[in-house]
Amino acid sequence: MEKRLNIAETEPAGYKAMMALEGYLAGSQLTKTHKELIKIRASQINGCAFCIDMHTKDALKNGETNQRIFLLNAWRETDLFSAEEKAILAITEEMTLIHQHGLSDASYQQALQFFDKNYIAQIIMAVVTINAWNRIAISTQLEVPR
């Protein structure tokens, strides 16, 4: 791959703004498991190898299982994910694939069964943030560390 610009070096103010979103998410109520499921699933959809690599490693460090990571792209077909996690994954997919129909009323209502509006807002912000990181990583051709 062609070596491209480094956002952190070229536009440090923009990178700092992205890191501020990460700081916000670090202080949010979202569990580590929820954050990593969001990050991995959105990155799978977007085809961001750099982010998939990073967040699967982070998830494993936080106690996630290999099996759940292997089956994450087929989460609807397994009972390895809780109803709450499935609600988060539905939001993640619908927001990441926003051009299809966006966040549906059904998925939003499902989330309200498990989470308050603040937690849902934090889920939405986590999805927005990882989608932005995916776009930065793919556009700048960040390489997966070997």
Side-chain angles (χ1 to χ4, degrees):
M1 278 194 297
E2 168 191 333
K3 179 129 173 93
R4 293 195 177 168
L5 63 91
N6 179 314
I7 291 288
E9 293 171 0
T10 307
E11 283 295 327
Y15 188 80
K16 184 178 178 183
M18 288 297 300
M19 291 307 294
L21 283 171
E22 286 298 326
Y24 156 77
L25 291 172
S28 74
Q29 297 171 321
L30 294 175
T31 69
K32 288 180 182 182
T33 298
H34 290 168
K35 282 187 252 189
E36 295 306 333
L37 289 175
I38 291 166
K39 290 175 180 183
I40 296 167
R41 186 65 192 119
S43 299
Q44 288 174 332
I45 293 167
N46 289 323
C48 184
F50 182 87
C51 293
I52 294 168
D53 181 68
M54 176 192 301
H55 296 299
T56 55
K57 288 174 181 173
D58 289 347
L60 289 168
K61 286 179 199 169
N62 290 324
E64 188 57 81
T65 67
N66 287 328
Q67 185 181 26
R68 281 173 36 108
I69 291 172
F70 298 153
L71 292 172
L72 185 54
N73 65 338
W75 60 269
R76 286 182 180 87
E77 313 305 322
T78 179
D79 62 358
L80 292 177
F81 299 94
S82 69
E84 293 88 351
E85 291 169 335
K86 288 182 176 189
I88 289 171
L89 291 167
I91 291 171
T92 301
E93 288 188 0
E94 290 176 4
M95 287 183 61
T96 301
L97 298 167
I98 201 160
H99 67 282
Q100 291 182 354
H101 58 72
L103 179 55
S104 69
D105 289 338
S107 293
Y108 183 80
Q109 291 301 318
Q110 180 71 21
L112 281 173
Q113 293 181 22
F114 305 110
F115 311 113
D116 64 21
K117 288 182 180 183
N118 291 93
Y119 204 87
I120 294 171
Q122 292 168 19
I123 292 166
I124 290 169
M125 290 305 299
V127 175
V128 166
T129 303
I130 190 57
N131 273 281
W133 281 123
N134 288 166
R135 281 148 179 78
I136 290 169
I138 292 169
S139 299
T140 62
Q141 296 184 346
L142 277 178
E143 292 184 23
V144 175
R146 295 185 188 257

